[in-house]
């Protein structure tokens, strides 16, 4: 499956508006007309609130219109529009355009970052269905060991998961190797393990090799990805959608980290005594590592 480019993203938007026009409310039609008439780069860097103001509606109407048009949310639309932009434009040029769009006003910069973060997390929360969350948590609960795999920007979320799982009394290890080095890491993967893959949507051979190895040895696979309908998803036991940033304004791993926090807290609730004991042992060990000042002798 080929990645969409900006032209196909614009075409897809126009087709969705045409096909769904009769199903849209009056205010949603206003939003739809604005979306198809605005330059793609304007949509790419705009928040739902800004699009609502520009179309004379509201941010809630923008979100409803996008959902009616078949998008999971504004980040989903931006991702389609951004694909061609990011592949055809050098990183330094994309940075220049981001800065040009945001400007130098500190309040504007703050609003841009927080608005995009809120949009991504809101979409992630809506996409994470309770049944999927329950299945993912149970997969981790049943695992002999959890192996978290992440490369590049996704490494942060994978390491975060391992750290928190260990603090909850679970066996976990991080793998971030690529190339031939990865083969050594896969030797320890066995039946009853669970592999959590932080997949950013880029096609790396390592992801396929890892899922194939997990299947071969009887390990489960939990896929956390920006492309939940991609080829890799067909080889996973559980697929969780974690929208990535289409603009680069917020951290790529933001949604993934929040998903990891959700999984660990839910997992700890299944076995509270284990989590509490692990927390106690962590506190004890930390205490042993703290240099305490020698008591001062009392003056006679």
């Amino acid at each position: 499956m080929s990645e969409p480019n900006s032209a196909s993203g614009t075409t897809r938007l126009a087709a969705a508006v045409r096909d769904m026009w009769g199903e849209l409310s009056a205010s949603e039609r206003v939003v739809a007309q604005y979306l198809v008439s605005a330059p793609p780069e304007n949509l790419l860097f705009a928040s739902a609130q800004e699009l609502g103001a520009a179309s004379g509606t509201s941010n809630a109407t923008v979100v409803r219109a996008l959902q009616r048009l078949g998008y999971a949310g504004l980040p989903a639309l931006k991702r389609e529009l951004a694909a061609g932009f990011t592949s055809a434009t050098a990183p330094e040029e994309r940075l220049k355009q981001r800065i040009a769009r945001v400007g130098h006003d500190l309040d504007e910069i703050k609003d841009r970052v927080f608005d995009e973060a809120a949009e991504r997390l809101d979409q992630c929360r809506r996409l994470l269905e309770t049944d999927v969350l329950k299945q993912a948590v149970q997969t981790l609960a049943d695992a002999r060991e959890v192996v978290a795999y992440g490369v590049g920007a996704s490494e942060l979320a994978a390491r975060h998961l391992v750290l928190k799982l260990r603090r909850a009394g679970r066996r976990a290890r991080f793998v971030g190797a690529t190339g031939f080095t990865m083969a050594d890491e896969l030797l320890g993967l066995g039946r009853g393990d669970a592999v959590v893959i932080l997949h950013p949507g880029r096609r790396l051979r390592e992801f396929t090799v890892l899922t194939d190895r997990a299947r071969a040895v009887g390990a489960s696979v939990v896929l956390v990805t920006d492309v939940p309908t991609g080829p890799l998803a067909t080889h996973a036991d559980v697929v969780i959608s974690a929208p990535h940033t289409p603009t680069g304004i917020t951290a790529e791993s933001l949604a993934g980290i929040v998903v990891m926090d959700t999984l660990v807290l839910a997992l700890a609730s299944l076995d509270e005594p284990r989590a509490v004991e692990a927390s106690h042992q962590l506190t004890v060990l930390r205490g042993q590592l703290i240099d305490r000042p020698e008591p001062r002798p009392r003056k006679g």
Side-chain angles (χ1 to χ4, degrees):
M1 184 176 70
S2 61
E3 288 292 330
N5 55 45
S6 58
S8 64
T10 303
T11 302
R12 195 262 198 197
L13 173 62
V17 171
R18 182 180 63 252
D19 294 342
M20 295 300 298
W21 186 257
E23 305 295 325
L24 301 177
S25 67
S27 58
E28 290 168 351
R29 287 182 178 182
V30 173
V31 172
Q33 287 179 321
Y34 178 80
L35 293 177
V36 295
S37 63
E41 58 270 22
N42 287 4
L43 303 180
L44 187 61
F45 292 99
S47 66
Q49 184 174 358
E50 289 171 331
L51 292 178
S55 61
T57 58
S58 67
N59 58 336
T61 304
V62 170
V63 173
R64 287 198 304 271
L66 288 170
Q67 292 174 344
R68 192 70 66 92
L69 294 172
Y71 295 94
L74 182 56
L77 171 63
K78 288 182 177 182
R79 180 181 180 276
E80 289 196 5
L81 296 175
F85 172 73
T86 55
S87 62
T89 309
E92 60 270 22
E93 287 301 319
R94 297 201 300 269
L95 176 59
K96 288 180 181 179
Q97 292 191 33
R98 285 198 297 270
I99 294 174
R101 289 284 173 181
V102 174
H104 301 281
D105 181 83
L106 292 181
D107 286 332
E108 178 68 14
I109 291 172
K110 178 186 68 176
D111 289 343
R112 290 276 181 173
V113 173
F114 278 83
D115 284 348
E116 180 176 293
E119 288 169 359
R120 289 176 60 196
L121 293 181
D122 180 64
Q123 181 182 354
C124 187
R125 174 164 52 184
R126 287 187 286 103
L127 293 175
L128 183 52
E129 298 177 353
T130 303
D131 289 345
V132 173
L133 176 59
K134 182 178 180 180
Q135 186 180 0
V137 172
Q138 194 60 54
T139 299
L140 300 188
D142 295 339
R144 179 184 68 92
E145 181 178 57
V146 175
V147 178
Y149 184 76
V151 294
S154 298
E155 178 179 331
L156 182 61
R159 287 189 179 277
H160 181 71
L161 173 63
V162 170
L163 175 67
K164 299 202 73 171
L165 283 174
R166 288 175 175 173
R167 289 179 176 180
R170 303 280 175 169
R171 287 185 56 184
R173 65 186 174 99
F174 165 77
V175 175
T178 57
F180 278 7
T181 307
M182 185 181 184
D184 294 283
E185 299 284 1
L186 296 183
L187 287 175
L189 188 64
R191 179 174 296 279
D193 291 340
V195 179
V196 179
I197 302 177
L198 279 300
H199 179 236
R202 288 182 289 273
R203 292 184 177 182
L204 298 180
R205 183 169 179 79
E206 283 80 357
F207 293 119
T208 301
V209 172
L210 177 54
T211 53
D212 288 348
R213 179 63 177 177
R215 286 298 180 203
V217 301
S220 301
V221 176
V222 177
L223 180 66
V224 182
T225 179
D226 185 39
V227 283
T229 58
L232 199 63
T234 61
H235 301 287
D237 297 282
V238 187
V239 180
I240 296 176
S241 181
H244 285 198
T245 171
T247 64
I249 291 176
T250 53
E252 184 175 297
S253 58
L254 173 64
I257 288 177
V258 175
V259 169
M260 298 303 103
D261 285 335
T262 305
L263 291 174
V264 174
L265 182 57
L267 189 61
S269 71
L270 291 182
D271 193 344
E272 183 178 345
R274 178 193 290 197
V276 171
E277 176 60 22
S279 179
H280 170 69
Q281 292 299 328
L282 180 64
T283 301
V284 171
L285 290 170
R286 284 173 171 173
Q288 295 173 359
L289 294 168
I290 296 175
D291 288 330
R292 291 182 173 82
E294 294 291 334
R296 294 182 180 181
R298 295 182 179 180
K299 295 181 179 181

